[in-house]
Amino acid sequence: MIALGSDHGGYALKQEVIQYLKEQNLDYRDYGCDSEKSCDYPVYAQKVAKAIVSGECDRGILICGTGIGISIAANKVKGIRAALCHDTFSAQATREHNDANILAMGARVVGPGLALKIVDVFLHTEFSNDERHKNRISQIED
Ligand code: RB5
């Protein structure tokens, strides 16, 4: 199950992501926001982060204008590794090396074509399970 969240700046791109997930038959839950009316990104970062640490969802996608605020906020929740990615190389690397559980993007930074490619890579790349990376992740947790 994929948890989705955005603020007003990310709302339109989130709708594109929803369309893409539907086409791929991937299950998702949308934790808001629900329109382009101005709202506060930490609220939705926290909802998605909590859905992941509670086990309700496996991975998350968070979108705001830049992806910066919403990723900073999500990373305050213990157990969350939110990666801000605007290219497919980073999306692949953060899954393989960091076992990132949230992808953050900025709707004012990337267009929908690239964003959906990034989503695709993020969702279809597994963690390497390499001891070096596991050790570094446990250092982050500590
Ligand atoms: C909202 O205007 C904007 O600040 C927000 O979407 C995000 O870019 C913050 O990091």
Side-chain angles (χ1 to χ4, degrees), residues 7-9 41 64-70 108:
D7 72 353
H8 53 289
Y41 57 79
C64 68
T66 59
I68 298 171
I70 211 158
R108 296 174 190 154

Side-chain angles (χ1 to χ4, degrees), residues 45-46 49-50 53 72-81 141:
Q46 192 186 47
K50 288 195 164 166
V53 294
I72 291 173
N75 276 316
K76 294 288 178 193
V77 177
K78 190 163 172 58
I80 290 302
R81 292 177 300 281
E141 290 307 302

Side-chain angles (χ1 to χ4, degrees), residues 45-66:
Q46 192 186 47
K47 284 179 194 282
V48 166
K50 288 195 164 166
I52 290 164
V53 294
S54 71
E56 205 173 302
C57 293
D58 312 300
R59 286 190 209 165
I61 299 172
L62 286 171
I63 309 171
C64 68
T66 59

